[in-house]
């Protein structure tokens, strides 16, 4: 069995919530793309990340359905894990490109480009209560990020994410890439409260890049 770390990424301030993540630190142990997707499907997490080159920070991200060029919660989780092992990275390199990493207190930040986000639809609802009332998944096809302002002046958003891609992930607890896309669309930093108790923070930069950040905890039984 491949050695695996399991984390919860984008936990709330009280440590609740967070999206489960599988981390395979020895990517060479499972080199094939089909094998990696099969492991991701077996685990059933929204994503599993494989670390292929420690000095370069080269990583490979898989869902239960296939490979992703970029995703926020695997990169935040892996950066946190490497720091906890005494090897804090300054850069990670998924297929999409170079991702800068920053640590501020208990928040781990990764910074990328919104054009790296694979096809998703953001849909605004009139209230947080409407978002909460949605079935999982709502009717329709394609990746949906449902959101509403919880406190518009403060930039606080209530959100839920529905991949609707036909695999085992019916609702995604906390989604860094979708948070990046929404931040790009709104043109401002956000404090996103997603799922059952997760928190995703975002920042905008003049060069068009966006950072997503959050807390990470080991997933212990």
């Amino acid at each position: 069995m491949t050695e695996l770390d399991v984390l919860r990424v984008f936990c709330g301030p009280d440590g609740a919530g967070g999206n489960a993540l599988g981390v395979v630190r020895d990517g060479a142990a499972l080199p094939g793309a089909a094998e990696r997707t099969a492991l991701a499907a077996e685990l059933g997490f929204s994503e599993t990340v494989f670390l292929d080159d420690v000095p370069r920070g080269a990583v490979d991200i898989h869902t239960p359905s296939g490979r992703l060029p970029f995703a926020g919660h695997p990169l935040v989780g892996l950066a946190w894990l490497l720091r906890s092992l005494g090897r804090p990275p300054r850069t990670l390199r998924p297929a999409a490109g170079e991702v800068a990493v920053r640590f501020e207190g208990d928040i781990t930040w990764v910074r990328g480009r919104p054009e790296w986000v694979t096809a998703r639809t953001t849909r605004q609802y009139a209230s947080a209560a409407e978002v909460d009332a949605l079935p999982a998944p709502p009717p329709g096809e394609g990746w949906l990020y449902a959101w509403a302002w919880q406190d518009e002046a403060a930039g606080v958003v209530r959100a839920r994410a529905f991949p609707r891609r036909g695999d085992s992930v019916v609702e995604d607890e906390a989604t860094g890439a979708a948070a990046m896309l929404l931040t790009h669309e709104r043109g401002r930093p956000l404090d996103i409260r997603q799922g059952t108790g997760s928190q995703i923070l975002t920042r905008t930069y003049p060069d068009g890049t966006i950072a997503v950040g959050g807390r990470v905890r080991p997933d212990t039984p």
Side-chain angles (χ1 to χ4, degrees), residues 193-211:
R193 313 300 173 90
Q194 188 177 322
T196 61
S198 301
Q199 182 181 33
I200 307 169
L201 303 172
T202 70
R203 290 176 177 171
T204 59
Y205 292 87
D207 65 355
T209 58
I210 294 171

Side-chain angles (χ1 to χ4, degrees), residues 3 18 22 24 49 63 65 84 99 108-109 111 126 131 134 138 140 168 179 190 200-201:
E3 186 176 352
V24 178
V49 62
T63 75
S65 304
S84 75
V99 174
T108 299
W109 295 91
R111 182 172 165 180
V131 174
L134 291 171
S168 59
L190 298 174
I200 307 169
L201 303 172

